[in-house]
Amino acid sequence: MSKLIKSAVLGAGLAMLQAPFGWPPYLVFILFIPFIELNFSQNSRSRFLNGFLFGFGYFAIHLKWLSIVGTDAWLGLSAICAAWWAVASLLSSLHYNSRYWPFWFASIWTMIEILRDHLPWGGFGWGQLGLIWIDSPFSGLYATLGQVGVTWLTFFVVALFYVRIYRSSKGKPSHKLLRVALVGTAVFCLSWISINFQPVNYSSSEYVTVAGIQGGVEHYGVGIGNDPYAVINRHINETILNKEEINKADLVIWPESSVDKDPYSDSLTMQKLLEMDSEIIPPVLVGTTIYDEDSLKSNSAQILNDGSLFTVYEKRHLVPFGEFMPLRNIIEQYTDRANLLSHDFKPGTFQSKLGIAGIQLKVLICFEVADESLSFEDIESHSAILIPTNNATYQNLGQTEQQAVYTRIRAIETGRSVFSIATSGQSVIVNPSGDVISSLNQDEVGLLTAKISKTTGFTLASKLFWPINLMFFMSCLYGLLAALRNSRITQ
């Protein structure tokens, strides 16, 4: 029992390396290597349980913001994510006697994280270990390896240190420290080269000015406030208040869910939007919820301009239990909180189509920032990524700080500026190097503006994403088949 508790404690400590805590990422070695040591001293059943408790300790801390929905939702999702880590813990002991075991260890843990990002019900890949390096000298590696590649490298170096430094009896301690220093220096040099020598070009003469409005909300947490027009009124008021500066911009961004009601079925909402439109020169990208004839909803980004409103993007990667309810019939028997999502959202079917003054801008919505593949789609023809988001449910609970990390990594990975505009914070504008150049904190209201240069070219991360994923898949498949073959030979 004490070993299981130790696994949970180590996992909880590992979560402290992520936002909003931000402990030094180098502690990953102090926290992960003892887990590996503990795990390999167990039988298969214990390895599975150790992995589960390790993962549960990690996700229970990392996803604590979900407790606002309910303790059962928070612990249930933590358990689902931890189950994936239990499988990784069990399988990572294969090929331990091989000199290539660190490669296998990193590949199986990373493959499990990729699967968690897609399964079940579309997946929930929040909290990959590769996120921890965003504020380190190694953050430049995201431009070449991407988030998944950096996650693999993290597991690989941890496993390599376990075998060559922690468990090895060869070499003096001073020699081991020298090896660590040499590896760190080599990775730092690769990181610097990665961020500074990507085939991406920025025009100094072609650009657009983009403004973002954070108008605030009247109600945090689960449910809605008393005034169904509160959020739209706040964003209209903040827009009009900053009208003089906004009218110098080429585009205005409102957050996800900044328009409370379907403007096509609620005449007052449409009236409010058109009245504001008559005072604002540039088009406004507004976040709306649209109902179809089957009462399914779409989370839409629409352009308001010259008295018209039309859709440029519908969210495609939906959040299970947040935007659609798997197992609805079962859950409704267990809790009436399923009624908070009385109608499911439907996924969008097309990429964003938004061009301003000849410059193409990619639109993703909220949780989609965690999906690397969406950011890389046709990125060569886009100059920036716009992310309208709504984090009011999890206000001041740590979720928005975690999303800001994804925003910064997406900027480095794509070599593009990224605008993440929230209803109630944290709104950020991030440059292609991953630096936050302008922000509004939670509970603030206001305006953010920046220029977007026309950007051409691509980062290596955008080109290597699918080959890297395929490599991990083929490596894991080969390793599993080899283990199966060896087990038959020894029987």
Side-chain angles (χ1 to χ4, degrees), residues 6-18 23-38 54 58 129 132 158:
K6 183 178 179 180
S7 293
V9 171
L10 288 170
L14 195 67
M16 304 302 285
L17 277 55
Q18 301 276 19
W23 286 12
Y26 315 104
L27 293 177
V28 66
F29 299 99
I30 295 175
L31 294 163
F32 218 115
I33 285 177
F35 167 73
I36 297 175
E37 176 76 358
L38 181 69
F54 185 62
Y58 177 82
L129 196 59
I132 64 176
V158 166

Side-chain angles (χ1 to χ4, degrees), residues 13 72 105 177 190 217 224 261 274 287 306 310 316 322 330 338 363 391 419 431 448 457 467:
D72 51 353
F105 179 90
L177 288 176
L190 292 174
V217 298
I224 59 174
K261 289 180 170 290
L274 294 178
D306 294 334
F310 57 92
R316 291 177 289 163
I330 297 175
V363 181
N391 299 325
F419 287 45
N431 68 17
L448 296 178

Side-chain angles (χ1 to χ4, degrees), residues 269-281:
T269 294
M270 184 63 82
Q271 178 185 337
K272 288 174 178 287
L273 289 173
L274 294 178
E275 288 178 353
M276 184 198 71
D277 181 49
S278 66
E279 298 188 52
I280 299 299
I281 295 174

